[in-house]
Amino acid sequence: MRKRLGSFRPSRRLLFAAGTAAAASTVAAASAAEAVPGSPQAATDAATGLGSLGNYGSGVLGAWARQARAISNEAQIRRTRENDGVFMFGDSIGVQDGPALVRQLAKLGIMTAVHNWAGRPVTPAVDALDTWAQDYGLPHRILMSVGSNDIFTPPAVAAQVDRTMQIAGPERTVYWVNVQAARTAFIPEIRVADQRNSAWINLQLAEAQRRHDNLRIVHWAEHLASSPNRLARYLRDGLHPSVPLGQNARNSLIIDAIKAG
């Protein structure tokens, strides 16, 4: 089973082709939408097309420290570690979808401890992983549901994936959900940049998988791009999964990956 999962390692060409197709589909179907609390936030002037789009075209990351979070208490963290469950580190998608995922994993007898924080990019999520590793030790399964907030600075991702794998060590499995962003509340230029930067992040994850045998990519972006209308049906704002349809689809991919080992 491990060999079969590892055999799907998309090429640069496949990743960018999927990204381009998804961008075109999203931009064509996009309509004005409300900004969602906890979503990656570009500067207000960038949203209207009047100001800087940042170094990579998606705008700039807003302040996230006071945004919504869901973090397990110490007792839950220790129980999860003792029962060799799953540690999850996520962003706003984790805040939204995490409770349903925890319930589904519990039905399989898998305990979960979460550290989900809206608006958070990869680097502080890996900082949190490092802190838990030092304070509690780690189970053999770690779920990283982060990366969407790195569309503003995509080159930062590769080093943090390698850092995650170093913290986890070779005996643990890290599951990493790749990203799809083309935020419908923003102008077309930003949506295209979002998609391009998502593909860039996903390429770094695919390349990291070649370096680390114990890294499993959960192919959310490819799943969305593989069938007509999935982007519109499974995402409510070009980023966050719709509930329940998109949420169920994304959580199912995660659970299938964890069950496969």
Side-chain angles (χ1 to χ4, degrees):
M1 181 65 72
R2 178 176 176 179
K3 183 177 181 182
R4 181 165 62 84
L5 282 169
S7 66
F8 181 48
R9 294 182 174 179
S11 65
R12 289 172 181 263
R13 188 163 152 191
L14 176 60
L15 280 164
F16 280 101
T20 301
S25 172
T26 303
V27 171
S31 59
E34 278 186 33
V36 178
S39 65
Q41 296 295 316
T44 301
D45 57 356
T48 59
L50 300 177
S52 170
L53 299 183
N55 292 332
Y56 301 98
S58 287
V60 294
L61 178 66
W64 57 269
R66 295 186 178 180
Q67 295 212 45
R69 72 198 76 168
I71 301 175
S72 297
N73 60 38
E74 183 173 345
Q76 179 68 18
I77 297 167
R78 292 191 183 279
R79 282 197 300 271
T80 301
R81 167 66 183 87
E82 290 164 3
N83 287 276
D84 201 25
V86 174
F87 279 2
M88 175 184 183
F89 298 85
D91 49 27
S92 58
I93 298 176
V95 172
Q96 173 188 283
D97 293 355
L101 179 62
V102 169
R103 290 192 296 270
Q104 289 172 281
L105 288 173
K107 291 178 181 178
L108 299 174
I110 301 172
M111 191 173 290
T112 311
V114 304
H115 197 298
N116 297 323
W117 200 316
R120 178 175 62 180
V122 167
T123 299
V126 181
D127 291 342
L129 167 65
D130 193 23
T131 297
W132 279 21
Q134 294 182 50
D135 291 349
Y136 310 111
L138 297 174
H140 282 89
R141 292 168 294 191
I142 298 163
L143 172 61
M144 302 300 291
S145 178
V146 289
S148 295
N149 294 292
D150 292 86
I151 57 174
F152 307 107
T153 52
V157 172
Q160 295 305 317
V161 177
D162 285 340
R163 182 175 163 226
T164 297
M165 303 312 297
Q166 181 179 18
I167 294 167
E171 301 304 317
R172 296 183 178 88
T173 303
V174 175
Y175 304 89
W176 203 304
V177 188
N178 69 10
V179 304
Q180 163 61 38
R183 295 163 294 161
T184 56
F186 296 89
I187 60 175
E189 290 82 358
I190 291 178
R191 296 198 296 270
V192 171
D194 284 358
Q195 186 59 67
R196 181 182 64 245
N197 294 333
S198 297
W200 189 352
I201 290 165
N202 293 343
L203 177 60
Q204 292 174 77
L205 288 169
E207 290 178 340
Q209 190 178 40
R210 297 186 181 96
R211 298 191 297 272
H212 304 284
D213 290 340
N214 55 327
L215 175 62
R216 307 283 186 270
I217 306 302
V218 179
H219 294 282
W220 175 233
E222 291 84 352
H223 183 72
L224 289 169
S226 66
S227 180
N229 301 320
R230 271 188 183 166
L231 283 166
R233 293 170 61 230
Y234 286 6
L235 299 179
R236 57 184 167 85
D237 57 2
L239 172 67
H240 296 87
S242 59
V243 179
L245 194 62
Q247 180 182 93
N248 289 342
R250 189 174 186 273
N251 282 349
S252 292
L253 289 176
I254 293 169
I255 290 169
D256 287 347
I258 290 173
K259 287 168 64 177

